[in-house]
Amino acid sequence: MKIISIQVGRPREIPAEGEPVLTSIFKLPVSGRVRVGRLNIDGDQQADLSVHGGPRKAVYLYPSEHYAYWKHELPSLSLPWGAFGENLTIQGLLEDQVCVGDRLLAGTAEFVVTQPRQPCYKLGIRFGRPDIVKQFLRSGRSGFYVAVLKEGEIGAGDELFHAPGPGERVSIKALSVAQSARG
């Protein structure tokens, strides 16, 4: 398991249906080592803290393995790492293998898995397709958020260590499926 790529973004205004919308979904790759703080990765900032970010959603991880599926589903779109708004594109750890409370270590930082991603309408803006939000939810390929337990530095290529959390284990996939059924 490892970090394939690291992406960050700052809020910017984009037009959506004739109105300005503030979003940070457009992420760009960074090179070298970057600092991970309690609320985000240096250079990253969430646009709407009422639904994104905060200590329990400080960093968003998305498995690189899902990109083949999306390239098949969305063949006309360019899908560079970070296309889904993730901060870390990872390899070797999928939603059915990771549970809330699991710990992840990379570089000198430590994380705890908190929840699956529930995308908002801004994912539709990112792809120019309002239907992508429902398609994303139905796919079961949600990725997941982590809280930062120990600040540190990470870099693309860093090994990602996974330690199961204590107590009852509920996978990110199970939670994502349950949330999708409700919404």
Side-chain angles (χ1 to χ4, degrees):
M1 294 175 284
K2 68 179 181 175
I3 297 172
I4 299 293
S5 183
I6 300 172
Q7 294 79 220
V8 298
R10 296 239 186 238
R12 65 177 169 169
E13 242 180 44
I14 60 166
E17 297 183 15
E19 297 293 322
V21 173
L22 193 63
T23 182
S24 295
I25 197 164
F26 296 92
K27 306 287 187 193
L28 296 172
V30 296
S31 59
R33 304 204 62 76
V34 293
R35 184 179 180 284
V36 178
R38 291 275 178 222
L39 297 177
N40 54 27
I41 296 172
D42 278 359
D44 195 56
Q45 183 180 352
Q46 296 86 2
D48 182 354
L49 291 174
S50 69
V51 290
H52 300 291
R56 295 191 45 79
K57 295 193 265 184
V59 180
Y60 174 45
L61 286 70
Y62 198 71
S64 62
E65 291 86 348
H66 296 334
Y67 273 82
Y69 170 84
W70 289 113
K71 286 178 182 177
H72 178 265
E73 291 294 307
L74 308 167
S76 64
L77 297 178
S78 171
L79 297 174
W81 300 136
F84 295 94
E86 75 268 19
N87 298 112
L88 304 182
T89 309
I90 61 169
Q91 181 180 56
L93 189 61
L94 301 175
E95 293 86 349
D96 61 346
Q97 301 166 318
V98 66
C99 298
V100 171
D102 286 2
R103 292 189 176 208
L104 303 174
L105 290 92
T108 59
E110 184 177 351
F111 309 93
V112 63
V113 176
T114 57
Q115 66 188 67
R117 178 188 187 187
Q118 282 287 103
C120 71
Y121 72 98
K122 292 176 183 177
L123 185 65
I125 292 170
R126 163 73 174 88
F127 286 103
R129 298 178 54 142
D131 65 323
I132 192 73
V133 174
K134 287 183 180 179
Q135 188 178 3
F136 185 86
L137 290 170
R138 280 193 311 267
S139 78
R141 293 164 173 84
S142 66
F144 49 93
Y145 284 107
V146 295
V148 177
L149 292 176
K150 180 183 170 200
E151 296 180 348
E153 287 189 350
I154 58 173
D158 280 358
E159 205 167 339
L160 187 63
F161 298 94
H162 174 222
E168 186 177 333
R169 296 180 41 77
V170 180
S171 76
I172 290 297
K173 178 130 184 152
L175 285 172
S176 182
V177 168
Q179 289 174 346
S180 177
R182 286 193 305 255

PDB file of all heavy atoms in Angstrom, residues 100 114-119 137-138 142-143 145 171-183:
ATOM      1  N   VAL A 100     -14.014   2.310   9.828  1.00  0.00           N
ATOM      2  CA  VAL A 100     -13.970   3.468  10.713  1.00  0.00           C
ATOM      3  C   VAL A 100     -13.160   3.080  11.947  1.00  0.00           C
ATOM      4  O   VAL A 100     -13.343   1.998  12.507  1.00  0.00           O
ATOM      5  CB  VAL A 100     -15.396   3.904  11.106  1.00  0.00           C
ATOM      6  CG1 VAL A 100     -15.365   4.953  12.192  1.00  0.00           C
ATOM      7  CG2 VAL A 100     -16.145   4.416   9.876  1.00  0.00           C
ATOM      8  N   THR A 114     -12.415   8.020   9.364  1.00  0.00           N
ATOM      9  CA  THR A 114     -13.611   8.536  10.028  1.00  0.00           C
ATOM     10  C   THR A 114     -14.917   8.248   9.297  1.00  0.00           C
ATOM     11  O   THR A 114     -15.924   7.977   9.943  1.00  0.00           O
ATOM     12  CB  THR A 114     -13.508  10.058  10.239  1.00  0.00           C
ATOM     13  OG1 THR A 114     -13.310  10.698   8.978  1.00  0.00           O
ATOM     14  CG2 THR A 114     -12.376  10.396  11.196  1.00  0.00           C
ATOM     15  N   GLN A 115     -14.936   8.298   7.961  1.00  0.00           N
ATOM     16  CA  GLN A 115     -16.196   8.103   7.249  1.00  0.00           C
ATOM     17  C   GLN A 115     -15.984   8.048   5.747  1.00  0.00           C
ATOM     18  O   GLN A 115     -14.961   8.512   5.243  1.00  0.00           O
ATOM     19  CB  GLN A 115     -17.170   9.235   7.563  1.00  0.00           C
ATOM     20  CG  GLN A 115     -16.731  10.595   7.058  1.00  0.00           C
ATOM     21  CD  GLN A 115     -17.626  11.717   7.563  1.00  0.00           C
ATOM     22  OE1 GLN A 115     -17.658  12.006   8.743  1.00  0.00           O
ATOM     23  NE2 GLN A 115     -18.342  12.339   6.659  1.00  0.00           N
ATOM     24  N   PRO A 116     -16.983   7.491   5.013  1.00  0.00           N
ATOM     25  CA  PRO A 116     -16.906   7.547   3.554  1.00  0.00           C
ATOM     26  C   PRO A 116     -17.241   8.953   3.064  1.00  0.00           C
ATOM     27  O   PRO A 116     -17.834   9.743   3.795  1.00  0.00           O
ATOM     28  CB  PRO A 116     -17.984   6.556   3.100  1.00  0.00           C
ATOM     29  CG  PRO A 116     -18.920   6.420   4.238  1.00  0.00           C
ATOM     30  CD  PRO A 116     -18.147   6.751   5.487  1.00  0.00           C
ATOM     31  N   ARG A 117     -16.871   9.231   1.855  1.00  0.00           N
ATOM     32  CA  ARG A 117     -17.209  10.522   1.267  1.00  0.00           C
ATOM     33  C   ARG A 117     -18.657  10.495   0.784  1.00  0.00           C
ATOM     34  O   ARG A 117     -19.098   9.548   0.169  1.00  0.00           O
ATOM     35  CB  ARG A 117     -16.319  10.819   0.075  1.00  0.00           C
ATOM     36  CG  ARG A 117     -16.723  12.147  -0.572  1.00  0.00           C
ATOM     37  CD  ARG A 117     -16.005  12.364  -1.821  1.00  0.00           C
ATOM     38  NE  ARG A 117     -16.255  13.694  -2.378  1.00  0.00           N
ATOM     39  CZ  ARG A 117     -15.823  14.036  -3.549  1.00  0.00           C
ATOM     40  NH1 ARG A 117     -15.115  13.188  -4.271  1.00  0.00           N
ATOM     41  NH2 ARG A 117     -16.084  15.234  -4.022  1.00  0.00           N
ATOM     42  N   GLN A 118     -19.356  11.560   1.061  1.00  0.00           N
ATOM     43  CA  GLN A 118     -20.682  11.822   0.519  1.00  0.00           C
ATOM     44  C   GLN A 118     -20.528  13.043  -0.377  1.00  0.00           C
ATOM     45  O   GLN A 118     -20.448  14.157   0.126  1.00  0.00           O
ATOM     46  CB  GLN A 118     -21.676  12.134   1.635  1.00  0.00           C
ATOM     47  CG  GLN A 118     -22.180  10.929   2.377  1.00  0.00           C
ATOM     48  CD  GLN A 118     -23.153  10.136   1.540  1.00  0.00           C
ATOM     49  OE1 GLN A 118     -22.804   9.105   1.008  1.00  0.00           O
ATOM     50  NE2 GLN A 118     -24.357  10.604   1.399  1.00  0.00           N
ATOM     51  N   PRO A 119     -20.468  12.865  -1.690  1.00  0.00           N
ATOM     52  CA  PRO A 119     -20.215  14.026  -2.549  1.00  0.00           C
ATOM     53  C   PRO A 119     -21.410  14.975  -2.601  1.00  0.00           C
ATOM     54  O   PRO A 119     -22.553  14.556  -2.451  1.00  0.00           O
ATOM     55  CB  PRO A 119     -19.954  13.398  -3.916  1.00  0.00           C
ATOM     56  CG  PRO A 119     -20.747  12.141  -3.888  1.00  0.00           C
ATOM     57  CD  PRO A 119     -20.663  11.649  -2.456  1.00  0.00           C
ATOM     58  N   LEU A 137     -22.260   7.642  -6.115  1.00  0.00           N
ATOM     59  CA  LEU A 137     -22.803   6.942  -4.942  1.00  0.00           C
ATOM     60  C   LEU A 137     -23.144   5.488  -5.277  1.00  0.00           C
ATOM     61  O   LEU A 137     -22.835   4.577  -4.501  1.00  0.00           O
ATOM     62  CB  LEU A 137     -24.031   7.673  -4.404  1.00  0.00           C
ATOM     63  CG  LEU A 137     -23.741   9.012  -3.734  1.00  0.00           C
ATOM     64  CD1 LEU A 137     -25.038   9.758  -3.461  1.00  0.00           C
ATOM     65  CD2 LEU A 137     -22.947   8.821  -2.457  1.00  0.00           C
ATOM     66  N   ARG A 138     -23.788   5.265  -6.413  1.00  0.00           N
ATOM     67  CA  ARG A 138     -24.167   3.896  -6.818  1.00  0.00           C
ATOM     68  C   ARG A 138     -22.950   3.011  -7.051  1.00  0.00           C
ATOM     69  O   ARG A 138     -23.003   1.801  -6.871  1.00  0.00           O
ATOM     70  CB  ARG A 138     -25.020   3.931  -8.079  1.00  0.00           C
ATOM     71  CG  ARG A 138     -26.470   4.269  -7.854  1.00  0.00           C
ATOM     72  CD  ARG A 138     -27.318   3.972  -9.094  1.00  0.00           C
ATOM     73  NE  ARG A 138     -26.762   4.524 -10.313  1.00  0.00           N
ATOM     74  CZ  ARG A 138     -27.077   5.710 -10.830  1.00  0.00           C
ATOM     75  NH1 ARG A 138     -27.950   6.481 -10.227  1.00  0.00           N
ATOM     76  NH2 ARG A 138     -26.530   6.133 -11.955  1.00  0.00           N
ATOM     77  N   SER A 142     -16.414   5.265  -2.995  1.00  0.00           N
ATOM     78  CA  SER A 142     -16.550   6.543  -2.295  1.00  0.00           C
ATOM     79  C   SER A 142     -15.231   7.168  -1.865  1.00  0.00           C
ATOM     80  O   SER A 142     -15.153   8.372  -1.699  1.00  0.00           O
ATOM     81  CB  SER A 142     -17.426   6.366  -1.050  1.00  0.00           C
ATOM     82  OG  SER A 142     -16.773   5.528  -0.113  1.00  0.00           O
ATOM     83  N   GLY A 143     -14.221   6.349  -1.644  1.00  0.00           N
ATOM     84  CA  GLY A 143     -13.043   6.855  -0.961  1.00  0.00           C
ATOM     85  C   GLY A 143     -13.426   7.133   0.489  1.00  0.00           C
ATOM     86  O   GLY A 143     -14.544   6.799   0.921  1.00  0.00           O
ATOM     87  N   TYR A 145     -12.599   9.662   4.300  1.00  0.00           N
ATOM     88  CA  TYR A 145     -11.969  10.757   5.024  1.00  0.00           C
ATOM     89  C   TYR A 145     -11.183  10.212   6.203  1.00  0.00           C
ATOM     90  O   TYR A 145     -11.535   9.172   6.782  1.00  0.00           O
ATOM     91  CB  TYR A 145     -13.014  11.730   5.562  1.00  0.00           C
ATOM     92  CG  TYR A 145     -13.608  12.628   4.521  1.00  0.00           C
ATOM     93  CD1 TYR A 145     -14.908  12.440   4.073  1.00  0.00           C
ATOM     94  CD2 TYR A 145     -12.874  13.690   3.989  1.00  0.00           C
ATOM     95  CE1 TYR A 145     -15.463  13.282   3.129  1.00  0.00           C
ATOM     96  CE2 TYR A 145     -13.423  14.535   3.042  1.00  0.00           C
ATOM     97  CZ  TYR A 145     -14.725  14.320   2.622  1.00  0.00           C
ATOM     98  OH  TYR A 145     -15.263  15.154   1.681  1.00  0.00           O
ATOM     99  N   SER A 171     -17.001  -1.503   7.789  1.00  0.00           N
ATOM    100  CA  SER A 171     -16.203  -1.058   6.651  1.00  0.00           C
ATOM    101  C   SER A 171     -16.763   0.217   6.032  1.00  0.00           C
ATOM    102  O   SER A 171     -17.961   0.513   6.117  1.00  0.00           O
ATOM    103  CB  SER A 171     -16.121  -2.151   5.580  1.00  0.00           C
ATOM    104  OG  SER A 171     -17.330  -2.227   4.853  1.00  0.00           O
ATOM    105  N   ILE A 172     -15.883   0.939   5.388  1.00  0.00           N
ATOM    106  CA  ILE A 172     -16.271   2.140   4.649  1.00  0.00           C
ATOM    107  C   ILE A 172     -17.275   1.755   3.561  1.00  0.00           C
ATOM    108  O   ILE A 172     -18.247   2.464   3.317  1.00  0.00           O
ATOM    109  CB  ILE A 172     -15.027   2.843   4.063  1.00  0.00           C
ATOM    110  CG1 ILE A 172     -14.200   3.466   5.186  1.00  0.00           C
ATOM    111  CG2 ILE A 172     -15.417   3.873   3.019  1.00  0.00           C
ATOM    112  CD1 ILE A 172     -14.887   4.563   5.973  1.00  0.00           C
ATOM    113  N   LYS A 173     -17.063   0.620   2.911  1.00  0.00           N
ATOM    114  CA  LYS A 173     -17.988   0.175   1.861  1.00  0.00           C
ATOM    115  C   LYS A 173     -19.382  -0.038   2.432  1.00  0.00           C
ATOM    116  O   LYS A 173     -20.373   0.407   1.842  1.00  0.00           O
ATOM    117  CB  LYS A 173     -17.485  -1.100   1.208  1.00  0.00           C
ATOM    118  CG  LYS A 173     -18.424  -1.634   0.157  1.00  0.00           C
ATOM    119  CD  LYS A 173     -17.715  -1.918  -1.097  1.00  0.00           C
ATOM    120  CE  LYS A 173     -18.679  -2.355  -2.155  1.00  0.00           C
ATOM    121  NZ  LYS A 173     -18.231  -2.053  -3.459  1.00  0.00           N
ATOM    122  N   ALA A 174     -19.495  -0.708   3.579  1.00  0.00           N
ATOM    123  CA  ALA A 174     -20.806  -0.948   4.190  1.00  0.00           C
ATOM    124  C   ALA A 174     -21.500   0.372   4.537  1.00  0.00           C
ATOM    125  O   ALA A 174     -22.696   0.533   4.308  1.00  0.00           O
ATOM    126  CB  ALA A 174     -20.671  -1.824   5.424  1.00  0.00           C
ATOM    127  N   LEU A 175     -20.758   1.310   5.082  1.00  0.00           N
ATOM    128  CA  LEU A 175     -21.330   2.614   5.417  1.00  0.00           C
ATOM    129  C   LEU A 175     -21.751   3.375   4.155  1.00  0.00           C
ATOM    130  O   LEU A 175     -22.801   4.001   4.140  1.00  0.00           O
ATOM    131  CB  LEU A 175     -20.324   3.461   6.208  1.00  0.00           C
ATOM    132  CG  LEU A 175     -20.125   3.066   7.659  1.00  0.00           C
ATOM    133  CD1 LEU A 175     -18.976   3.860   8.252  1.00  0.00           C
ATOM    134  CD2 LEU A 175     -21.391   3.283   8.451  1.00  0.00           C
ATOM    135  N   SER A 176     -20.930   3.323   3.142  1.00  0.00           N
ATOM    136  CA  SER A 176     -21.233   4.013   1.891  1.00  0.00           C
ATOM    137  C   SER A 176     -22.498   3.457   1.248  1.00  0.00           C
ATOM    138  O   SER A 176     -23.363   4.207   0.788  1.00  0.00           O
ATOM    139  CB  SER A 176     -20.048   3.884   0.925  1.00  0.00           C
ATOM    140  OG  SER A 176     -20.293   4.575  -0.260  1.00  0.00           O
ATOM    141  N   VAL A 177     -22.638   2.134   1.236  1.00  0.00           N
ATOM    142  CA  VAL A 177     -23.829   1.489   0.684  1.00  0.00           C
ATOM    143  C   VAL A 177     -25.065   1.889   1.485  1.00  0.00           C
ATOM    144  O   VAL A 177     -26.109   2.220   0.918  1.00  0.00           O
ATOM    145  CB  VAL A 177     -23.664  -0.053   0.635  1.00  0.00           C
ATOM    146  CG1 VAL A 177     -24.974  -0.752   0.352  1.00  0.00           C
ATOM    147  CG2 VAL A 177     -22.599  -0.429  -0.391  1.00  0.00           C
ATOM    148  N   ALA A 178     -24.944   1.909   2.811  1.00  0.00           N
ATOM    149  CA  ALA A 178     -26.076   2.287   3.667  1.00  0.00           C
ATOM    150  C   ALA A 178     -26.466   3.749   3.416  1.00  0.00           C
ATOM    151  O   ALA A 178     -27.652   4.074   3.318  1.00  0.00           O
ATOM    152  CB  ALA A 178     -25.717   2.085   5.136  1.00  0.00           C
ATOM    153  N   GLN A 179     -25.482   4.645   3.293  1.00  0.00           N
ATOM    154  CA  GLN A 179     -25.768   6.053   3.033  1.00  0.00           C
ATOM    155  C   GLN A 179     -26.402   6.243   1.659  1.00  0.00           C
ATOM    156  O   GLN A 179     -27.320   7.035   1.484  1.00  0.00           O
ATOM    157  CB  GLN A 179     -24.499   6.895   3.146  1.00  0.00           C
ATOM    158  CG  GLN A 179     -24.007   7.050   4.551  1.00  0.00           C
ATOM    159  CD  GLN A 179     -22.660   7.766   4.629  1.00  0.00           C
ATOM    160  OE1 GLN A 179     -21.952   7.934   3.644  1.00  0.00           O
ATOM    161  NE2 GLN A 179     -22.291   8.161   5.831  1.00  0.00           N
ATOM    162  N   SER A 180     -25.927   5.488   0.689  1.00  0.00           N
ATOM    163  CA  SER A 180     -26.449   5.590  -0.673  1.00  0.00           C
ATOM    164  C   SER A 180     -27.901   5.127  -0.720  1.00  0.00           C
ATOM    165  O   SER A 180     -28.729   5.724  -1.421  1.00  0.00           O
ATOM    166  CB  SER A 180     -25.591   4.745  -1.611  1.00  0.00           C
ATOM    167  OG  SER A 180     -26.099   4.773  -2.919  1.00  0.00           O
ATOM    168  N   ALA A 181     -28.233   4.102   0.040  1.00  0.00           N
ATOM    169  CA  ALA A 181     -29.607   3.588   0.081  1.00  0.00           C
ATOM    170  C   ALA A 181     -30.564   4.604   0.688  1.00  0.00           C
ATOM    171  O   ALA A 181     -31.719   4.701   0.299  1.00  0.00           O
ATOM    172  CB  ALA A 181     -29.658   2.282   0.862  1.00  0.00           C
ATOM    173  N   ARG A 182     -30.056   5.383   1.658  1.00  0.00           N
ATOM    174  CA  ARG A 182     -30.886   6.410   2.307  1.00  0.00           C
ATOM    175  C   ARG A 182     -31.075   7.636   1.429  1.00  0.00           C
ATOM    176  O   ARG A 182     -32.061   8.337   1.538  1.00  0.00           O
ATOM    177  CB  ARG A 182     -30.278   6.847   3.634  1.00  0.00           C
ATOM    178  CG  ARG A 182     -30.431   5.833   4.737  1.00  0.00           C
ATOM    179  CD  ARG A 182     -30.085   6.455   6.078  1.00  0.00           C
ATOM    180  NE  ARG A 182     -28.772   7.050   6.091  1.00  0.00           N
ATOM    181  CZ  ARG A 182     -27.702   6.524   6.680  1.00  0.00           C
ATOM    182  NH1 ARG A 182     -27.803   5.390   7.307  1.00  0.00           N
ATOM    183  NH2 ARG A 182     -26.553   7.144   6.653  1.00  0.00           N
ATOM    184  N   GLY A 183     -30.064   7.933   0.614  1.00  0.00           N
ATOM    185  CA  GLY A 183     -30.084   9.187  -0.154  1.00  0.00           C
ATOM    186  C   GLY A 183     -30.488   8.953  -1.556  1.00  0.00           C
ATOM    187  O   GLY A 183     -30.984   9.593  -2.331  1.00  0.00           O
TER     188      GLY A 183
END
